[in-house]
Amino acid sequence: GCDFCYTGLMGLRKNLTAAQIVEQVLTVRRSLPMSAGHPQATNVVFMGMGEPFHNLDEVVKAINILTTPGPNTRHFAPDRITVSTVGLV
């Protein structure tokens, strides 16, 4: 496990799929109050429980989904998404 942060001491149970990552983001977005008819969530940061680079393929898929405009959905601007890493290359 990663010793960088306290949650790393809990150990890795599994990597999330892109669908699970997107659903987490959409769940949070739906739970926030609206402002001018749009959710107030405007940024996404990948960090915390798990190293994004250990699950890079799914993280990239999730980012592609979240930044692609769709019917009746509000996408995130690519420059509003940050991937935080402990430095894996």
Side-chain angles (χ1 to χ4, degrees), residues 7 9-10 18 23-25 27 35 37-40 44 57 71-73 75-76 78 86:
T7 55
L9 300 175
M10 295 169 52
E23 185 54 38
Q24 284 186 351
V25 173
T27 297
S35 175
H38 300 290
Q40 292 183 358
V44 175
D57 290 342
N72 302 317
T73 62
H75 67 284
F76 288 88
V86 296

Side-chain angles (χ1 to χ4, degrees), residues 11-26:
L12 178 67
R13 293 200 179 117
K14 68 176 240 160
N15 284 318
L16 298 179
T17 65
Q20 290 169 318
I21 295 168
V22 170
E23 185 54 38
Q24 284 186 351
V25 173
L26 296 180

Side-chain angles (χ1 to χ4, degrees), residues 25 28-30 32-33 38-44 74-76:
V25 173
V28 170
R29 183 178 253 189
R30 284 190 295 263
L32 295 175
H38 300 290
Q40 292 183 358
T42 57
N43 298 312
V44 175
R74 187 165 161 86
H75 67 284
F76 288 88

Side-chain angles (χ1 to χ4, degrees), residues 63-78:
I63 291 170
N64 286 333
I65 293 167
L66 292 169
T67 58
T68 301
N72 302 317
T73 62
R74 187 165 161 86
H75 67 284
F76 288 88

